[in-house]
Amino acid sequence: AYYRTAFQIAAVLVQVLSGLTLLAQNSAGEPQRYKIAGITVMGTEYTDPQAFKLFSGLREWQEILLPGEDIADAIRLLWKQKLFADVAIYAAEFRCTYVYLVISLSEMPRLGSFGFPGLRKSEAEYLREKLALINGTVCNENLKSTAISRIRDYYIDKGYFNVDVKIRETPDPILQDKNYVRLDFLVERGNRVKVGEIILDGVAEITPRRIKRIMKNTKEKAWWRGFKSSKFIEEEYADDKVKIIGKYNKEGFRNAR
C-alpha cells in the first residue's frame, strides 16, 4: 500500500511538472496549437456559467493557438458584455496537445435600491419615473452616467443651469450580502438662471418694444412685472427667436435672420 501511494503521488507530481514545463516552453517559444479539453467558469453568482462560455466565443474541442489572439479575443468579447469588473482567462493544465482553460470573472454589483435625499417628494417621484431604473440591473458606469444626465436635463429645463449631481454608492442595507448596492443621487440645484435684461442689437423697422412683446416666453426682470417669472429656458428662448423672424417675414422682410 505504501509503495502504491508513493507511486500515485509521484505520478501526479510528474503530470503537474510536465504541464508547468509545457506552459513555460510555450510562453517563451513559438505559438503551438492545442485543443480545448475543458472550460471552467469561476466567480459567477447570478448568471449561468454556460452563458459566459458562449459570450467568450470559446468552446470545448476548439483548436486554438497559445500564445495567440484567441484568448485575447475571448476576453474582449466578455468585456463587451459590460457585466464584469474584472476578466481573466488562463490555462489551468496542459495534457499533450490538450489544454484546460479557466475563465475567471468578477461580476459587477446589481442595483438593489435608489433614492434622492433632500428632494421634495413630488420631485423624487417624478425623477424615479423619469430614470426608470429596475432593481437587479447591472450597476455599471453607463447606468450611472445615464441617470445623472437625465437628472441634469430635468433641472436645466427648469432653468437650473448650474445643477450638480453626484452619486453615493453603498451596499444595499437589505441585500448587501448578495453584491447589491444602493444609489443615492445627491442633487445641488444651485440658483435658477433668470433674464436680467434683453438687449436687441441691429433691430430695424420693428421697435424693440414690439419685439419684446413677441417674445412671450422670455421676459426680462422688471419691477412693474411684479412676481412674474423671468427664468431663462433655452428651448423657449429658441422658440421666441423663431417668432421674431416670423414677424419680420410677415412684414415683408424675407431675408431677416
Side-chain angles (χ1 to χ4, degrees), residues 40-85:
T40 301
V41 179
M42 300 177 61
T44 61
E45 295 182 45
Y46 308 105
T47 309
D48 183 0
Q50 296 300 322
F52 294 132
K53 290 184 185 180
L54 293 174
F55 292 158
S56 73
L58 299 173
R59 64 184 187 280
E60 292 178 354
W61 310 119
Q62 174 186 349
E63 194 173 80
I64 62 173
L65 275 175
L66 288 178
E69 287 298 310
D70 297 289
I71 299 300
D73 289 342
I75 290 174
R76 279 193 286 268
L77 286 171
L78 288 167
W79 276 120
K80 193 176 180 180
Q81 305 304 315
K82 298 181 179 180
L83 297 173
F84 313 110

Side-chain angles (χ1 to χ4, degrees), residues 1-244:
Y2 170 79
Y3 293 107
R4 185 186 302 166
T5 303
F7 177 77
Q8 290 173 338
I9 293 172
V12 170
L13 286 173
V14 168
Q15 186 181 48
V16 171
L17 290 172
S18 297
L20 291 174
T21 302
L22 271 170
L23 180 58
Q25 290 173 346
N26 293 337
S27 298
E30 293 296 321
Q32 296 188 28
R33 292 194 174 277
Y34 292 92
K35 282 189 176 180
I36 301 174
I39 303 173
T40 301
V41 179
M42 300 177 61
T44 61
E45 295 182 45
Y46 308 105
T47 309
D48 183 0
Q50 296 300 322
F52 294 132
K53 290 184 185 180
L54 293 174
F55 292 158
S56 73
L58 299 173
R59 64 184 187 280
E60 292 178 354
W61 310 119
Q62 174 186 349
E63 194 173 80
I64 62 173
L65 275 175
L66 288 178
E69 287 298 310
D70 297 289
I71 299 300
D73 289 342
I75 290 174
R76 279 193 286 268
L77 286 171
L78 288 167
W79 276 120
K80 193 176 180 180
Q81 305 304 315
K82 298 181 179 180
L83 297 173
F84 313 110
D86 192 26
V87 177
I89 300 177
Y90 58 89
E93 185 181 352
F94 289 96
R95 292 186 184 178
C96 298
T97 59
Y98 296 94
V99 62
Y100 291 83
L101 298 178
V102 172
I103 299 176
S104 179
L105 303 170
S106 175
E107 290 184 283
M108 285 189 176
R110 304 271 172 157
L111 178 64
S113 57
F114 63 98
F116 308 90
L119 295 188
R120 295 193 299 268
K121 184 179 179 181
S122 58
E123 281 185 313
E125 289 178 351
Y126 179 86
L127 288 173
R128 188 174 291 275
E129 292 181 7
K130 187 177 179 69
L131 297 186
L133 297 176
I134 301 173
N135 292 355
T137 304
V138 174
C139 192
N140 54 25
E141 290 305 314
N142 181 60
L143 179 145
K144 289 184 274 190
S145 62
T146 300
I148 287 176
S149 179
R150 289 179 178 175
I151 294 171
R152 281 183 50 79
D153 288 346
Y154 168 73
Y155 282 102
I156 287 172
D157 285 345
K158 289 184 169 295
Y160 295 97
F161 286 83
N162 298 317
V163 61
D164 182 51
V165 183
K166 291 184 173 64
I167 292 179
R168 181 174 62 207
E169 183 175 330
T170 55
D172 190 274
I174 299 175
L175 302 167
Q176 58 182 335
D177 60 332
K178 297 183 179 180
N179 200 27
Y180 277 74
V181 295
R182 174 179 175 81
L183 299 182
D184 283 313
F185 297 95
L186 311 177
V187 180
E188 291 289 341
R189 295 184 306 181
N191 294 323
R192 177 177 278 166
V193 176
K194 296 184 178 181
V195 180
E197 182 182 3
I198 297 175
I199 299 174
L200 301 172
D201 185 32
V203 172
E205 308 303 333
I206 301 178
T207 65
R209 186 172 182 179
R210 286 180 64 195
I211 289 177
K212 289 181 181 181
R213 285 179 179 176
I214 294 168
M215 302 174 72
K216 299 293 186 183
N217 299 312
T218 308
K219 300 294 184 182
E220 59 190 355
K221 190 171 181 61
W223 63 268
W224 63 82
R225 298 187 67 246
F227 294 100
K228 291 184 179 178
S229 175
S230 61
K231 64 184 179 182
F232 177 76
I233 307 298
E234 193 166 3
E235 289 182 2
E236 294 182 352
Y237 173 58
D239 289 341
D240 282 339
K241 289 194 292 184
V242 170
K243 291 175 184 176
I244 294 172

